[in-house]
Amino acid sequence: MPELPTLTTSPPRTARTEAPKVAAASLVGTTIEYYDFAVYGTASALVLGPAFFPSGNPTLSSLAAFLTFSAAFLSRPLGVVLFGTIGDRLGRRQALVVSLLLMGVATVGVGLLPTYETAGILAPVLLVTLRLLQGVSMGGEWGGAVLLAAEHAPPGRRALYASIPNIGPSLGFLLSTAVILPTMNIVGMEGFTDWAWRIPFLLSTVLVVVGLWVRTTVSESPVFKAAARAAESEPVPRFPLGALFKQYPGRLLLGTGAAIGGSAVYYLTIVYSLSYGPQELGIPRNTMLTAASIGAAAGIAITIPVARLSDRIGRRPLMLAGAVGCVVWAVPMYASLSSRNGLVITGAYTVGLMFLALMFSPVAAFLPELFPARLRYTGASAAFILANTLGGGFAPSVATWLNSHWESPLVLGLYTGGLCLLSLLCLLALPETRDHEFDV
């Protein structure tokens, strides 16, 4: 395995003073992107199955809706190729602006779609098309957002600044819940299923405009600028993903494995259980949304403290602790659903999502630190997106299939715990990266 990159210089003082602004701008954009994604995930769990895939069997309708959810993950690798090439060759900021604009167009488009009753087979075809565009956008979002923040960070605080946009996925889910729950309470479940499910999608217009304005006001990464000046001696490959597979295959695979368990925990908790709990166990939808929201808020609360600690003691100790916690807690967390008790479920989800934060917070610095500057956007994005696709994108569909054969929620815990064990083993095989500075 090639040596990890080292650096003898640090970001210039002007870049360091701008670091908080850049981190905040990355957080705004990431939150909006994951709001859009979370809105679809929640809607697919609640209403999109009957609206676009009508069937006399609720399980088949839900499975079809979750498969469209998975479709976006299939197109994420295309986003890695597209935005990784833009980010490594043309700049981090340009890639992030385009990815946010694409996500906004696709999300608003979902809110304007006719249903199957109105347009027939054209409705699900258009839905899948827009989902694929959302996936392309997400393929370049996370890696670029955490990278722009990390490459502006002062020495010794890289994980801290990279973790700020990493709050975006949970914050986006909370924002989507803050829109969906009041809407459901105002119009009722029937009204929400009939027409009001469109409101959260259409509200994305305002958020995207704000996000684009914020992202166009920040400066380009100083590390990218330095790498661009040095490109004459070591040019960026025309196809960064190909160079990544050729030069760093082991690091890419292990980095993907390190993040795969956390992806499963996130998507099974935030997406799948919102459908599984009400449909299969009779748990009120508001109870499931509240439990997931409180758990996500707890994860957000410890994200920055965990990142600060990882800047002091290293990435691996905290990520390993989170992986062990997720392996041990996966079965009790999903077994709590059998209680049908809101307090028990909320407590179990809160513990589980805090273990997830131990894994997820340092990974924002850990994955970029595995790759050199000229391949860093592509490398960090590819590892994270592959983990999301394999561990998270197919998780709702796999879980639906598992529960069609074994009705106990214990199956969810065993499935998730197995993926978290894989992450634990991959982390043990990877080196500590805290003391390896970014190269230029």
Side-chain angles (χ1 to χ4, degrees):
M1 183 178 293
E3 291 296 322
L4 288 170
T6 57
L7 176 66
T8 57
T9 62
S10 60
R13 182 173 300 276
T14 55
R16 295 200 299 270
T17 57
E18 194 182 7
K21 177 183 177 182
V22 172
S26 295
L27 172 61
V28 169
T30 305
T31 300
I32 294 170
E33 291 253 9
Y34 275 90
Y35 164 84
D36 293 345
F37 218 70
V39 163
Y40 186 93
T42 303
S44 67
L46 300 179
V47 300
L48 293 187
F52 289 89
F53 306 96
S55 168
N57 187 326
T59 299
L60 290 179
S61 291
S62 294
L63 181 59
F66 283 136
L67 285 174
T68 64
F69 181 82
S70 301
F73 287 82
L74 291 175
S75 61
R76 283 188 177 195
L78 178 59
V80 172
V81 174
L82 174 62
F83 292 108
T85 301
I86 295 174
D88 281 330
R89 291 183 61 84
L90 303 179
R92 319 314 195 193
R93 190 181 67 165
Q94 287 89 329
L96 287 171
V97 169
V98 176
S99 73
L100 181 59
L101 182 60
L102 180 60
M103 175 62 83
V105 170
T107 303
V108 173
V110 172
L112 296 173
L113 282 180
T115 63
Y116 186 91
E117 183 179 2
T118 303
I121 193 64
L122 180 62
V125 169
L126 291 175
L127 179 65
V128 171
T129 301
L130 291 174
R131 282 296 293 163
L132 292 174
L133 291 178
Q134 281 189 320
V136 171
S137 170
M138 290 297 291
E141 171 58 32
W142 182 88
V146 300
L147 188 53
L148 191 65
E151 290 185 340
H152 275 87
R157 306 185 75 184
R158 188 183 303 132
L160 170 62
Y161 281 90
S163 73
I164 294 174
N166 215 25
I167 294 172
S170 293
L171 195 58
F173 169 73
L174 290 178
L175 184 59
S176 72
T177 303
V179 173
I180 290 173
L181 272 180
T183 304
M184 290 174 60
N185 290 333
I186 291 171
V187 304
M189 192 60 199
E190 183 176 350
F192 187 82
T193 303
D194 186 39
W195 62 272
W197 63 268
R198 301 178 184 275
I199 293 175
F201 290 96
L202 298 178
L203 282 177
S204 179
T205 304
V206 177
L207 299 175
V208 169
V209 170
V210 173
L212 287 172
W213 174 76
V214 170
R215 281 197 167 171
T216 54
T217 62
V218 300
S219 64
E220 182 54 84
S221 157
V223 175
F224 173 79
K225 291 179 180 178
R229 289 192 295 268
E232 292 184 3
S233 59
E234 190 176 11
V236 176
R238 293 181 62 85
F239 185 52
L241 186 62
L244 185 71
F245 277 113
K246 182 178 180 180
Q247 298 176 31
Y248 302 96
R251 200 173 299 167
L252 175 60
L253 290 175
L254 289 173
T256 299
I260 199 170
S263 296
V265 173
Y266 180 84
Y267 284 104
L268 284 179
T269 304
I270 299 299
V271 176
Y272 176 74
S273 67
L274 300 184
S275 171
Y276 174 75
Q279 290 187 5
E280 302 298 329
L281 301 175
I283 304 170
R285 286 185 170 88
N286 283 5
T287 297
M288 294 304 305
L289 282 170
T290 300
S293 297
I294 291 175
I300 290 174
I302 69 168
T303 292
I304 290 181
V306 168
R308 293 183 65 182
L309 185 59
S310 80
D311 276 328
R312 295 188 179 97
I313 69 172
R315 323 305 187 204
R316 289 177 75 250
L318 294 168
M319 295 177 69
L320 287 169
V324 170
C326 286
V327 170
V328 173
W329 191 249
V331 169
M333 178 166 66
Y334 294 112
S336 71
L337 296 173
S338 297
S339 73
R340 296 173 174 82
N341 183 297
L343 290 177
V344 173
I345 297 170
T346 299
Y349 273 26
T350 298
V351 173
L353 290 176
M354 290 178 74
F355 279 132
L356 173 62
L358 289 177
M359 298 176 65
F360 198 54
S361 179
V363 82
F366 183 70
L367 291 181
E369 288 166 345
L370 291 174
F371 305 100
R374 62 194 184 91
L375 297 174
R376 187 170 293 135
Y377 198 122
T378 301
S381 296
F384 188 77
I385 293 307
L386 284 173
N388 259 225
T389 301
L390 299 174
F394 293 104
S397 300
V398 172
T400 300
W401 181 84
L402 288 173
N403 281 124
S404 69
H405 291 76
W406 298 277
E407 296 181 359
S408 172
L410 291 175
V411 174
L412 302 180
L414 294 173
Y415 170 57
T416 307
L419 291 179
C420 290
L421 179 60
L422 175 60
S423 289
L424 176 63
L425 296 175
C426 290
L427 284 168
L428 289 171
L430 284 166
E432 177 58 62
T433 61
R434 179 176 67 94
D435 295 328
H436 294 276
E437 297 290 347
F438 281 179
D439 66 330
V440 296

